Amino acid sequence: MVSSIETMTVPPVGQAAAGAERSAHHGAHVESLFVVRSKGIRGSGDRVARARTVLIATGLLETLPALPSIRAYYGTSLHSCTECDGYEKSDAPLALIGETDDLAERALLISQWSNDLIVFTNGVAELSKADEAALDARGIGVERRPIADIEGDREGMTGVSLTDGTVIVRSGGFVRPQWTTALDYRAMLGLETSVDDLLVVDTHGRTSCTGVFAAGDSTPPGRSSSSWRRGRARGWPRPSTGT
């Protein structure tokens, strides 16, 4: 696993150090290299690699709400991707759990698949009046009390328990994680980032640092797909049931 990326300059091949220093002073080409350090896995030693070009495809780190049993049901009863797992949850009593300010937008997407949906803010996420009006118009409930844990058994999730002892029956649903880039590339390489702290690239995947490219979820729009969501969230239609 990569732990750091640094830049270094080297003299042209075959040129003595003193000559390189003198040539650099007079504007001769000095080559730049990237030093990539990684931690060993399964008992192997740490590694250091040098390269002229770096492709960042590390994706994003996922942080879930801090609930004791949430990982036990994540990937089976609870999911993060509505596009991937929404259909399988059709017409089920669902929960949307999160602490971010875009829960209303996600709930409107999930309402394509089920009319029985409750948004759980865990006492953290805030909803605007416009958000509440949009949710109410779709019949989506909102639960603001803090969550104690996810209830369930080997068969799967059965409900959401609140800190006051209330258990709200739910058979599954979705979690809204918080995503961050795997490393602080801005500090390491001075890379330009977006308002969502994603790596800014051009149409060829080039970052603001020559020789560094990026692809995947660490670049806009990332996993949150905010630029797409903002255009659709307020009036997403339910899918047609016709053939």
Side-chain angles (χ1 to χ4, degrees):
M1 183 179 72
V2 172
S3 57
S4 69
I5 306 173
E6 304 168 356
T7 57
M8 64 176 293
T9 56
V10 296
V13 175
Q15 186 169 331
E21 196 172 302
R22 188 163 50 252
S23 296
H25 179 72
H26 292 287
H29 173 71
V30 177
E31 187 178 22
S32 294
L33 290 179
F34 299 99
V35 179
V36 182
R37 303 180 187 277
S38 61
K39 297 180 180 179
I41 58 174
R42 298 177 182 174
S44 64
D46 294 350
R47 297 183 179 183
V48 179
R50 293 174 175 84
R52 293 181 177 86
T53 304
V54 170
L55 170 62
I56 298 173
T58 53
L60 298 173
L61 295 177
E62 185 178 69
T63 302
L64 301 179
L67 304 176
S69 302
I70 195 167
R71 284 284 177 187
Y73 301 101
Y74 191 50
T76 53
S77 296
L78 292 171
H79 307 273
S80 60
C81 181
T82 59
E83 292 84 356
C84 300
D85 301 291
Y87 179 78
E88 281 69 24
K89 303 297 183 185
S90 295
D91 301 320
L94 303 179
L96 170 60
I97 301 169
E99 299 173 354
T100 60
D101 61 1
D102 62 353
L103 289 184
E105 298 172 0
R106 301 304 295 179
L108 293 174
L109 294 175
I110 297 169
S111 69
Q112 297 177 92
W113 308 114
S114 176
N115 289 319
D116 188 355
L117 174 63
I118 299 176
V119 175
F120 293 82
T121 70
N122 199 24
V124 177
E126 296 184 0
L127 300 175
S128 68
K129 291 183 178 179
D131 288 336
E132 293 189 12
L135 295 177
D136 185 64
R138 290 289 183 90
I140 300 171
V142 177
E143 179 53 69
R144 295 178 175 80
R145 287 174 289 179
I147 301 171
D149 203 359
I150 306 300
E151 298 286 323
D153 51 33
R154 291 185 178 181
E155 299 299 318
M157 174 180 169
T158 59
V160 178
S161 61
L162 307 179
T163 55
D164 65 3
T166 303
V167 176
I168 299 177
V169 175
R170 302 282 94 182
S171 66
F174 293 86
V175 181
R176 190 59 171 154
Q178 297 190 45
W179 285 290
T180 55
T181 51
L183 292 174
D184 189 353
Y185 302 109
R186 182 167 49 187
M188 290 180 182
L189 300 169
L191 301 184
E192 180 184 354
T193 57
S194 68
V195 294
D196 296 322
D197 207 29
L198 301 171
L199 300 174
V200 174
V201 295
D202 65 11
T203 55
H204 299 286
R206 294 176 294 204
T207 70
S208 58
C209 178
T210 301
V212 180
F213 296 76
D217 287 343
S218 60
T219 65
R223 284 290 294 119
S224 59
S225 303
S226 57
S227 60
W228 177 77
R229 287 186 289 104
R230 288 167 188 156
R232 304 301 302 268
R234 290 296 180 264
W236 190 271
R238 287 186 61 83
S240 172
T241 56
T243 57

